[in-house]
Amino acid sequence: MSLFKARDWWSVVLGEGEEFDQGCLCVGDVDNSGSGHDKIVVGSYMGLLRIYGPRASSPGSGALAEDQLLEVQLRDPIIQLEVGKFVSCSDLLHLAVLHPRKLSVYAVTATAGNVEHGIQYQLRLVYEHNLQRTACNMTYGPFGGVTGHHFICIQSMDGMLMFFEQESYAFGRFLPGFLLPGPLCYCGRTDTFITVSSARQVESYKYEVLAVATDADEEHERKTSGKRLTADWTLVIGEQALDIVVPTFTSTSSIFVLGERNVYCLKDNGQIRFMKKLEYNPSCFLPYASVSEGTTNLLMGNHNSTLLVYQDVTLKWAAQLSCVPVAVRVANFQDLKGVVVTLSGDGHLQCSYMGTDPSFFMAPRVDAREINYEEVDAEMKALQKIIKEAVRTQERLQCRLTVQSPKLNVCVQPPLAVTQEQFVLDSMGKFAQTYEICVYDFSCASLPSSPFTGVPRVAQCKFTLPLRLVCLPSAPSKNSKYKITIDTNKPPVSLGDIFPEFVEKSEEKEGNVLAFQLIAGSTVTVQASKTSQRYRIQSDTFEDMWLVTKELLQRFDTFFAKQGVKDFRNSFAGPIPLQEYFETVDHHFELRVNAEKYQDLLSERAVQFRAIQRRLLTRFKDKTPAPLQNLDTLMEGTYRQVIALADAAEENRALLCQAFARLRSATHLLITLLSLWQGLSADQTSILEATLLPLLQDTPQLGWEECVDAAVSHLLRTCLSRSPKDQALSLSTSQLSMPKDTARLKKHITLLCDRLGKGGRLSLSSEANVQTPVVMPGQSRMSLGGQRATLIIVFS
């Protein structure tokens, strides 16, 4: 731990529950102000893009609202951000945003207003490239010696380098012997690309060699003959690299590589200039200019929350940070130059400087007078009353400035929909406004996309909708097809106390039976045993039981917590209803197969329709008319077939959306039962949920079945493997594709449940394959999500 702390000049915490990594931070004059002052651009895996212009503030006051210039919610996760000259017809700086399947280039513009705080920043899309392969990282530079502009190179997860000459795609090349992607950097001095392969060696490839090598777009590129891609030079370092930086400010030619335990400085020909063995786990680094001739300074962050300054291999300074940095930059702002900008994985953005500002704190003198406990108790009660009143009313939160032209967006999860998705509000000050919306059940409703762009502020609030919104009281059903039983360790309670809003006057007086009629589903009946501590949930539809089961478990926890009971437990004795669950899986997969069939038939009929059109056009253009030979009749019949197939495909798409919503409900129910069955912890339940529910919606390119099969197979080979020998993974670089049937998937899910039943535990570590005995399940703290709505307030 360092003796000194980094002096906090400006800091802000970004969002809540967002994740950030190495490529999510960049600095530069992104708005082309010409002042030489940098702006901070931050992107998160949640798709939020923020731009800040930090200004000096009083110590401890944090960031001001005016420091945030722009905040935009993009649809896709943000992997990496770069600022450069990416537009062919402009010499201005633009912002390149890398998504998993898309590269977007934006222009950031500032419009001056008529008041002091009236400057508005907008984000305008210049162009974008849709990627055929999933991206990992990117680099940019004047490839091939071009002047005045920057080209972009993207490395995919399967080892393909995709080159973009601004608005156009140039070519793609596969790296030889590729297994896993590593860091990528461009060296303008030698016009080469530097990376570290999975063979744990630094490799350099010349742009000229990449340009003339065998085209990666050709079929079977890895096996065809032609000019094979070879490295200009290689250097074995024996460890995986975290980052590569080629500084452009120094006169000496250097390439810096940060490993897991060492940092290397290489010459342009691959020879080692020097290396430094690290006694800690580094998290990020950045070379910057040194005042000493022939040397380079390094900023090094580590997992001990320490920022170290090296001059070549000599440690010059060490300062303690408030968090572990995953990215570090040096920026020049209006009030201070050479500020160290750090970003943590949970979104703590900090601008700091090195120094030893003296502390003028003096310990107060100890007052030895006796304490009047009656006055303290009275003051405590008065403060508690004020706190309760503030929590109850929630009207004490006031804004410092009037909010200009806010927009309110309401987003709900399918199969719910709202009557009005967006509200345009008047300017808001120190008052409250109430708006009424109607949320209704509508099968296959999709999540609404944000219809606004260039938004400087976004505030989100998530809340759970009432159960009465989607179901009504009904008469109990005695005979149902599907049944599950939940056990507790406390005497049975009246269901009327658990669901007071569903109690009818003329129904069961004892309160041991309640029925819920889902608006777009079947009837779900809950029955409490009179003699045992069990509750039975039954319905004619398997997936409809999940919502009522989740509500029952959550309300049990709330009810007994209010009673002061701390040892309340829920459990499920089994067996796991896998066959019932597999029926829902098969139905969803059948609709996916039908969708592919309709797509193929539509393609065939479209080709036939265009061929008939060409023949008819040729006949009509002929100077000597010839008989049509029933081509007009054939064209009309083909047209009717295309329309019928399109209608059938659209109907199947609607059914597929509905089936996926039902599959998600059934999967949530399965996860709940597995968690209760084996007493899984909250972390293990989260891993299971991420494994079985990896997608928010199906797409033609990537479906639920192949994603879940890959995730379950990974768990079976790692934390749920029978022996360490089974953990020798054979990684495949092939893309996921739709399977022929669901037999393999159902087999893997059955194995997953079987190994969990034998004491296996879920962990992200591959070494966690120790079989643990089954224990009684703990209190349910599942965050499986319910019918939730999201309010997004936009301020412009």
Side-chain angles (χ1 to χ4, degrees), residues 37 45 65 111 149 155 269 314 360 427 505 536 566 579 660 680 704 744 746:
H37 301 149
Y45 286 162
T111 304
H149 296 288
Q155 180 180 205
N269 59 3
T314 305
F360 297 99
S427 298
K505 296 181 180 180
R536 171 168 291 181
K566 298 182 179 180
Q579 296 304 321
F660 185 71
L680 302 181
W704 179 86
R744 174 186 171 91
K746 291 188 287 188

Side-chain angles (χ1 to χ4, degrees), residues 547-593:
L547 186 60
V548 176
T549 303
K550 179 188 73 70
E551 283 285 335
L552 180 66
L553 296 176
Q554 290 181 349
R555 297 194 182 200
F556 274 162
D557 294 336
T558 304
F559 177 81
F560 285 104
K562 290 181 179 180
Q563 301 295 327
V565 179
K566 298 182 179 180
D567 59 343
F568 174 72
R569 298 289 184 270
N570 294 310
S571 62
F572 177 69
I576 300 297
L578 287 179
Q579 296 304 321
E580 295 82 352
Y581 174 68
F582 290 154
E583 292 176 3
T584 309
V585 174
D586 291 335
H587 177 62
H588 173 262
F589 183 76
E590 181 183 356
L591 292 175
R592 286 191 63 194
V593 172

Side-chain angles (χ1 to χ4, degrees), residues 719-723 755-756 758-761 768-773:
C719 60
L720 294 180
S721 61
R722 294 180 178 177
S723 63
R755 294 188 183 179
L756 285 176
K758 294 181 179 178
R761 62 186 179 94
N769 62 336
V770 181
Q771 303 295 321
T772 57

Side-chain angles (χ1 to χ4, degrees), residues 466-477 495-496 499-508 513-519 521-526 548 555:
L467 182 63
R468 190 66 183 262
L469 183 67
V470 294
C471 58
L472 300 172
S474 176
S477 175
L495 294 178
F499 297 96
E501 70 273 27
F502 287 90
V503 177
E504 297 292 337
K505 296 181 180 180
S506 60
E507 294 297 331
E508 291 281 342
V513 178
L514 276 182
F516 307 85
Q517 174 63 50
L518 299 180
I519 295 178
S522 59
T523 301
V524 181
T525 303
V526 180
V548 176
R555 297 194 182 200

Side-chain angles (χ1 to χ4, degrees), residues 514-669:
L514 276 182
F516 307 85
Q517 174 63 50
L518 299 180
I519 295 178
S522 59
T523 301
V524 181
T525 303
V526 180
Q527 181 176 2
S529 176
K530 298 180 179 179
T531 58
S532 62
Q533 304 168 356
R534 295 183 175 183
Y535 301 85
R536 171 168 291 181
I537 302 114
Q538 58 188 21
S539 175
D540 290 330
T541 307
F542 177 73
E543 59 271 10
D544 287 349
M545 294 189 294
W546 169 69
L547 186 60
V548 176
T549 303
K550 179 188 73 70
E551 283 285 335
L552 180 66
L553 296 176
Q554 290 181 349
R555 297 194 182 200
F556 274 162
D557 294 336
T558 304
F559 177 81
F560 285 104
K562 290 181 179 180
Q563 301 295 327
V565 179
K566 298 182 179 180
D567 59 343
F568 174 72
R569 298 289 184 270
N570 294 310
S571 62
F572 177 69
I576 300 297
L578 287 179
Q579 296 304 321
E580 295 82 352
Y581 174 68
F582 290 154
E583 292 176 3
T584 309
V585 174
D586 291 335
H587 177 62
H588 173 262
F589 183 76
E590 181 183 356
L591 292 175
R592 286 191 63 194
V593 172
N594 293 339
E596 281 202 345
K597 291 181 180 178
Y598 286 129
Q599 185 66 30
D600 295 340
L601 289 175
L602 270 175
S603 300
E604 293 177 2
R605 295 299 181 269
V607 171
Q608 178 179 333
F609 187 75
R610 288 192 295 268
I612 298 173
Q613 281 184 322
R614 285 194 296 268
R615 290 197 177 189
L616 281 175
L617 185 61
T618 303
R619 297 288 177 91
F620 290 148
K621 286 184 177 181
D622 196 355
K623 295 182 179 180
T624 57
L628 297 180
Q629 297 179 348
N630 295 325
L631 285 178
D632 54 343
T633 306
L634 183 60
M635 181 178 178
E636 182 180 359
T638 305
Y639 173 76
R640 292 178 178 177
Q641 290 181 358
V642 170
I643 295 300
L645 286 173
D647 292 340
E650 184 63 21
E651 182 181 358
N652 185 81
R653 186 198 64 80
L655 293 175
L656 182 59
C657 292
Q658 184 178 4
F660 185 71
R662 294 186 176 278
L663 178 60
R664 284 179 59 86
S665 298
T667 306
H668 276 302
L669 179 60

